[in-house]
Amino acid sequence: MSEKATASTVASQRVAEQLRSMILNGELAPGTRIRQEDVAARLGASRLPVREALRILAAEGLAVLKSNTGAWVSKLDMNECEGIYKIRERIEPLALSESVPNLTAGDIARMERIQDEIEDNTDVDRFLLLDRELHLATYAGCGNRELTSMVHRFWNTTQHYRRAYARVIDAAGHQLINFEHRLIIEAVKRADGVDAERFLTGHIRRTRLELAKHPELFAEDEHD
């Protein structure tokens, strides 16, 4: 690869990383139009790396590219979100069961540290970061790259709705989340893939059912 091509790739990755962070932290809401010229000016990049960055984000499920209109932050309605959660109920337990035999004592200790921090935390954005880190850590031993790619994509596309939901959970809801996390971690410690799958399926399903009680979370975002 030429030096010019390498520089372009690095620039694209840099822009993608910054846009990814802006989407996942809620700075760019679902349905927001991403104007290439605005991004280029804001991030000090040329248009070519921005276009490539948007393709990267589209592949990750964070953006939608529309011919003749440009790029938009991915947006779901309630039925689409429910459908993704139903898929997650199937594929994430599989990723977990594939991961469990390959997780080390160090991996498990890290999970416990993350969960300790979750239980000591009261900030929603910090919770979202830690919750994502914990679940993805449990899948770290899964060697099926296509499966883990799907898991990451679905986490990306539902991030905004998890944030909105986290803001309406009461204290009892947070306690239940912590209890379910502990059940999953304990099953992983026992190398019990069957229990780990069962607890995770219930954890994702319960969130799906709770989200369905809050249609207002899906009515607030409209395209420009």
Side-chain angles (χ1 to χ4, degrees), residues 86-178:
K86 287 180 177 179
I87 296 171
R88 287 185 56 199
E89 286 173 40
R90 301 297 190 272
I91 68 169
E92 289 188 37
L94 174 59
L96 182 58
S97 67
E98 293 283 314
S99 175
V100 166
N102 301 316
L103 294 172
T104 67
D107 293 327
I108 295 169
R110 176 171 170 247
M111 294 174 206
E112 293 181 314
R113 288 195 300 270
I114 296 169
Q115 181 56 33
D116 287 342
E117 191 171 350
I118 288 175
E119 292 174 15
D120 290 337
N121 171 72
T122 58
D123 178 75
V124 169
D125 288 327
R126 183 63 181 158
F127 164 75
L128 290 169
L129 181 65
L130 292 168
D131 183 59
R132 181 188 181 100
E133 186 178 354
L134 174 64
H135 282 283
L136 295 185
T138 67
Y139 309 142
C142 177
N144 187 323
R145 291 186 178 181
E146 289 189 4
L147 180 56
T148 55
S149 177
M150 290 174 65
V151 168
H152 280 80
R153 180 182 176 88
F154 289 139
W155 270 79
N156 286 342
T157 55
T158 57
Q159 173 81 357
H160 171 78
Y161 306 97
R162 292 175 54 251
R163 174 180 290 103
Y165 173 61
R167 296 189 187 283
V168 301
I169 301 174
D170 59 15
H174 281 290
Q175 289 177 354
L176 184 52
I177 289 172
N178 291 331

Side-chain angles (χ1 to χ4, degrees), residues 33 37 43-44 49 52-53 71 82 94 114 121 184 210 217 223:
R33 187 173 183 180
E37 59 273 19
L43 302 182
E52 182 56 33
E82 182 178 25
L94 174 59
I114 296 169
N121 171 72
I184 294 167
E210 288 297 318
L217 301 181
H223 287 311

Side-chain angles (χ1 to χ4, degrees), residues 88-90 92-94 96-97 100 179-180 183-188 190 192-206:
R88 287 185 56 199
E89 286 173 40
R90 301 297 190 272
E92 289 188 37
L94 174 59
L96 182 58
S97 67
V100 166
F179 176 69
E180 290 170 342
L183 284 175
I184 294 167
I185 293 170
E186 287 302 312
V188 171
R190 299 194 310 271
D192 188 337
V194 174
D195 265 2
E197 281 193 74
R198 180 163 58 89
F199 296 144
L200 178 60
T201 300
H203 182 60
I204 299 172
R205 179 175 182 274
R206 186 186 59 77

